[in-house]
Amino acid sequence: ESGGKRIRGILAILGYKIVSNKGINRKIFFASSALEILHLFTLVHDDIMDNADSRRGRPTIRKKWDSNTALLSGDLLVGLAYESLMKADLPQIKNALIEFNKALIEVCEGQAYDKEFEEKDTVSIKEYEMMIQKKTGRLIESSLLIGAILGNAKPKELKALSRYGKMIGRAFQIKDDLLDIIADEKEFGKKTFGDIKESKKTYFYVSALKYFSDNDKNTLRLIFKKQKKSKREIKKIVELFDSYGLISSAQSEITSLIKKAKMSLQIFKPEKR
């Protein structure tokens, strides 16, 4: 009922379509649904770990009921996701299940790194990119790959779609980091500045460690060490990000990643791209 982008399910269908010459086999929709259900599991558990009260303008499960209910709901969703994927019983279903399982493991690893980084003062850009590739990028990449695997993709096609997924996944997370700072809360569907409040090591934090003066780095670290941050402190952080051009550089990075992603699709015929 909350709607949403449904981007992972759509990518699975597009991954299938771009490699298949036989049109759409309706079984692919079971795989598409499986990826959306698995993504929903990650959101439910994220909301527990982030103590989030709302998502897309509606109360989270942990807020409406409690964390135990949310935890159990997330666990159940994993089982339902596998159940849905197994209904896509096309010839390559075994390989699709292997990819699906890899994605689940890496998403959990990425979330673990994200939580670990909250306790660290210093996180490198390389560490940040590794974390977002696992937490966000892997499921986006796997959505394309699972669709393509079920469409009997050739190895070179899988390689191209893997690169496309990695680039789009990275752009997706940087955009999410950006929206947390600049979005309208009603449009965004969740509270802004949540990453700063939770001391998340986002694109902006890791870039700040690279570009800020020593004095501004100390200010950043001192505020991020606090469990509760005042509105004035949050405003100070956002002003620093903006004064160093990090907001505009984030948008430039997103544009660059999307361009690279599109280049990955050159091996496919124009009408398929």
Side-chain angles (χ1 to χ4, degrees), residues 34-50:
L35 287 152
E36 282 301 314
I37 295 167
L38 189 67
H39 175 55
L40 184 55
F41 142 74
T42 69
L43 300 184
V44 172
H45 279 202
D46 274 3
D47 289 341
I48 300 169
M49 287 180 267
D50 292 343

Side-chain angles (χ1 to χ4, degrees), residues 113-259:
Y113 280 117
D114 192 25
K115 298 304 291 182
E116 180 188 328
F117 290 172
E118 287 178 21
E119 306 301 321
K120 292 177 70 175
D121 284 344
T122 302
V123 175
S124 69
I125 289 176
K126 190 173 180 180
E127 285 176 315
Y128 166 79
E129 288 178 347
M130 176 273 292
M131 181 270 288
I132 65 170
Q133 170 52 31
K134 286 177 175 287
K135 181 184 173 182
T136 304
R138 192 64 170 94
L139 195 52
I140 287 174
E141 178 190 0
S142 286
S143 297
L144 284 156
L145 291 178
I146 287 166
I149 288 166
L150 292 172
N152 294 307
K154 300 179 181 71
K156 68 176 184 178
E157 292 173 328
L158 291 174
K159 187 176 179 181
L161 289 171
S162 175
R163 177 171 167 74
Y164 177 85
K166 282 183 170 72
M167 296 296 108
I168 289 295
R170 192 179 300 175
F172 191 96
Q173 184 58 56
I174 295 172
K175 183 73 172 183
D176 197 61
D177 292 351
L178 178 62
L179 288 171
D180 188 70
I181 292 174
I182 67 169
D184 177 271
E185 281 191 7
K186 288 181 182 176
E187 239 179 82
F188 193 34
K190 56 183 177 181
K191 296 282 186 183
T192 49
F193 311 124
D195 291 338
I196 297 173
K197 290 172 186 172
E198 295 289 330
S199 301
K200 296 278 188 184
K201 303 308 186 287
T202 64
Y203 172 86
F204 295 97
Y205 185 92
V206 299
S207 298
L209 293 183
K210 185 176 180 180
Y211 298 112
F212 276 17
S213 67
D214 288 343
N215 187 51
D216 288 336
K217 280 181 193 175
N218 287 335
T219 300
L220 179 75
R221 285 182 171 129
L222 282 170
I223 293 174
F224 264 63
K225 278 182 179 177
K226 295 183 177 182
Q227 282 199 329
K228 289 192 175 181
K229 303 165 184 73
S230 68
K231 288 183 179 179
R232 184 182 60 80
E233 288 170 330
I234 291 169
K235 186 181 178 185
K236 175 66 176 175
I237 293 295
V238 174
E239 285 173 350
L240 281 171
F241 288 159
D242 195 28
S243 68
Y244 279 86
L246 299 186
I247 290 174
S248 58
S249 74
Q251 190 57 63
S252 297
E253 179 68 7
I254 292 162
T255 302
S256 173
L257 286 165
I258 290 170
K259 187 176 179 181

